[in-house]
Amino acid sequence: MTVFHAALALESHGGTPSFLDVTGQVRGAIAASGIGNGIVAVMSPHTTCSVYYDEWAHDTVEDGSDFLQHDLNRVLGLICPDQTRFPPSDGYSYPGTRHFEEVESWPSAEEYLPGGDRSALLNADAHLKASIVGSSQTFPLIDGELGFGVTGYIFFVDWDRDRPRTRTCRVTVIGE
């Protein structure tokens, strides 16, 4: 049995959730692995991002999201509306004072709080949407191909709307 790991560098656009089709890149990782039969795990290491499997709906809205992605975001927004103000408002408790202080103490604080702007952490809705949708998917690998049909696509979504970011998607191929 062989195990192969790949990291996909992705760019989110900010402003709205970024839905990114990673199917081609996952297929590229499979080809690079040399593995023909087994499983492929696709995972987000980010707590405000998800990986899911769905159809590409072809019609798109202004930010490039297809109609199914737009509908998914709209429905999840009924459960977890966009957080726009400091807690305790919009129905959210997160982020609290202790969390701000902890993030401000990190060596990478500027990455999370650009210019010290605490509003960059107003993303409770993104954490909740990622928890609902999930951070990973596993697919069968059969004769070097993903085990699903032509209508299936693998999507990575960054629910955090605060700003554009570089994100990572991890692909692990296990098999023979």
Side-chain angles (χ1 to χ4, degrees), residues 132-143:
I132 291 168
V133 174
S135 63
S136 66
Q137 292 284 311
T138 304
F139 303 95
L141 177 61
I142 304 165
D143 297 327

Side-chain angles (χ1 to χ4, degrees), residues 36-107:
N37 292 288
I39 60 171
V40 180
V42 184
M43 187 259 183
S44 166
H46 308 285
T47 59
T48 57
C49 298
S50 297
V51 173
Y52 74 102
Y53 172 74
D54 204 351
E55 182 175 324
W56 169 250
H58 300 94
D59 298 288
T60 60
V61 296
E62 205 171 272
D63 69 3
S65 302
D66 78 20
F67 281 8
L68 282 172
Q69 296 163 349
H70 180 73
D71 290 343
L72 175 62
N73 185 50
R74 184 184 54 76
V75 169
L76 288 175
L78 297 173
I79 301 166
C80 312
D82 291 351
Q83 184 180 29
T84 58
R85 296 178 294 159
F86 286 100
S89 64
D90 298 329
Y92 295 108
S93 302
Y94 172 90
T97 303
R98 288 181 64 195
H99 186 64
F100 283 124
E101 291 168 353
E102 178 64 27
V103 173
E104 289 167 339
S105 75
W106 296 349

Side-chain angles (χ1 to χ4, degrees), residues 74-173:
R74 184 184 54 76
V75 169
L76 288 175
L78 297 173
I79 301 166
C80 312
D82 291 351
Q83 184 180 29
T84 58
R85 296 178 294 159
F86 286 100
S89 64
D90 298 329
Y92 295 108
S93 302
Y94 172 90
T97 303
R98 288 181 64 195
H99 186 64
F100 283 124
E101 291 168 353
E102 178 64 27
V103 173
E104 289 167 339
S105 75
W106 296 349
S108 58
E110 181 64 24
E111 178 183 344
Y112 296 93
L113 299 168
D117 181 8
R118 285 184 165 189
S119 70
L121 291 184
L122 295 179
N123 62 359
D125 60 296
H127 286 281
L128 296 171
K129 290 171 185 174
S131 293
I132 291 168
V133 174
S135 63
S136 66
Q137 292 284 311
T138 304
F139 303 95
L141 177 61
I142 304 165
D143 297 327
E145 299 292 331
L146 287 164
F148 56 76
V150 297
T151 60
Y153 288 80
I154 305 166
F155 294 103
F156 179 98
V157 58
D158 184 351
W159 299 107
D160 201 336
R161 311 160 326 282
D162 179 60
R163 63 191 177 278
R165 299 175 195 227
T166 299
R167 296 298 201 175
T168 300
C169 181
R170 303 237 182 252
V171 179
T172 301
V173 186

Side-chain angles (χ1 to χ4, degrees), residues 2-26:
T2 302
V3 177
F4 176 86
H5 296 285
L8 312 178
L10 306 172
E11 298 296 325
S12 66
H13 54 68
T16 61
S18 298
F19 290 88
L20 307 167
D21 173 10
V22 296
T23 313
Q25 291 166 284
V26 171

